[in-house]
Amino acid sequence: MLHSARLRYLDAIVRRGSIRAAASELNVASSAVNRQLLALEERIGAPLFERLPRGIKLTAVGEIVIEHVRATLKDEARVMARIGALRGSQRGAVTIAVTPGLADGPMPEIISQFIGARPSTKVGLSAMRTDQIASAVVNGEVDLGLGYYMLPNPALLSLMTLPTEFGVVVAPSHPLAGRKQVRFSHLLEHKLVLTEPGSSLRQTIDRALLQRGISLRPDVETNSIETLKRLVAGGDWATLLNPFDASIECRSGRLVFKRLEGGKLSGQLLCLVARAGASANPLVNLFVEELRTALPLSASFMDAG
């Protein structure tokens, strides 16, 4: 390892919330972790944690130090991945944060294909809101972020943008599944479930409805894409989704994606980002290329009508 065990110990303490839990994860004695922490605090000249009756909490100095520690450990992982790639082994790890819909949609298959071609590779996948994704990338917690409508940020490097369109998603047995063309007005005749107000997708849908002077009142609103899809799969419900959030179900035939009449309706802009200035990592670059190829293919099921 390129860096002191103290950095790893500190990272484990923060992640696990206590010295004892960190020691258990690291498979060392609690006293050893505590000694390393005290030595680090002595070197810095300030306490890193507040010792509270129910645990520990980072001090302001501790917040600064842990940000540096995590960036340092991520840089070490990138260096090791580059060395592994030079040796031809492609060993190492790639970490990515994505929206819950993508985590439950195309990402498992994409990751499986990537690892299948590189058995020594590990991929870490985290599901987060888009604002959390951006922060995780900037803070060095993950290598890549994939989400919708990433706000411009000089600390982020854009690697890919992919326009999407939303459409009607129903079960194969639903009356709308057999229609050659589907209009917004058709949704007024059926039970409707939508993502909750304020979500990225819902804002996109509401803008499209406002432009057309149409008002839809969903019977159910939820912040869970999985709950939404399970309702729709029951046969009686309709919803509006982008193709990535329903890719697995539509490709398997459990759900049907219908484009809305009037041509493509602009949906969310899918953005892939990395931390600006991050060290080059051949393994991450390979995963980026995998995403650039696989994501468009995952939406190739869309009904052409």
Side-chain angles (χ1 to χ4, degrees), residues 124-158:
L125 176 68
S126 300
M128 305 178 183
R129 299 193 314 267
T130 295
D131 59 327
Q132 294 173 323
I133 292 171
S135 296
V137 175
V138 171
N139 294 335
E141 297 170 25
V142 294
D143 298 305
L144 300 169
L146 185 65
Y148 300 102
Y149 294 126
M150 293 280 190
L151 295 176
N153 187 331
L156 292 176
L157 175 65
S158 176

Side-chain angles (χ1 to χ4, degrees), residues 72-93:
T72 300
L73 293 177
K74 290 297 295 183
D75 283 340
E76 177 184 335
R78 293 186 184 97
V79 168
M80 297 306 294
R82 292 178 67 186
I83 293 171
L86 288 173
R87 291 173 177 169
S89 64
Q90 291 187 347
R91 294 179 183 272

Side-chain angles (χ1 to χ4, degrees), residues 145-208:
L146 185 65
Y148 300 102
Y149 294 126
M150 293 280 190
L151 295 176
N153 187 331
L156 292 176
L157 175 65
S158 176
L159 302 174
M160 177 185 71
T161 56
L162 189 62
T164 69
E165 60 176 297
F166 64 86
V168 176
V169 176
V170 293
S173 60
H174 194 280
L176 293 180
R179 280 189 172 273
K180 186 174 181 180
Q181 293 183 323
V182 178
R183 303 189 185 102
F184 275 117
S185 58
H186 290 147
L187 296 174
L188 298 172
E189 306 166 9
H190 301 279
K191 290 192 289 186
L192 183 65
V193 54
L194 293 178
T195 54
E196 65 181 357
S199 66
S200 172
L201 177 59
R202 183 63 180 273
Q203 290 175 355
T204 303
I205 292 169
D206 288 345
R207 281 195 297 270

Side-chain angles (χ1 to χ4, degrees), residues 1 18 21 33 45 48 54 70 106 119 124 164 167 186 191-192 216 237 249 262 268 271 298:
M1 297 298 181
S18 73
V33 176
L48 301 180
R54 294 187 178 181
R70 286 176 171 167
T164 69
H186 290 147
K191 290 192 289 186
L192 183 65
L216 290 179
W237 296 79
E249 293 81 4
Q268 301 154 292
C271 305
S298 72

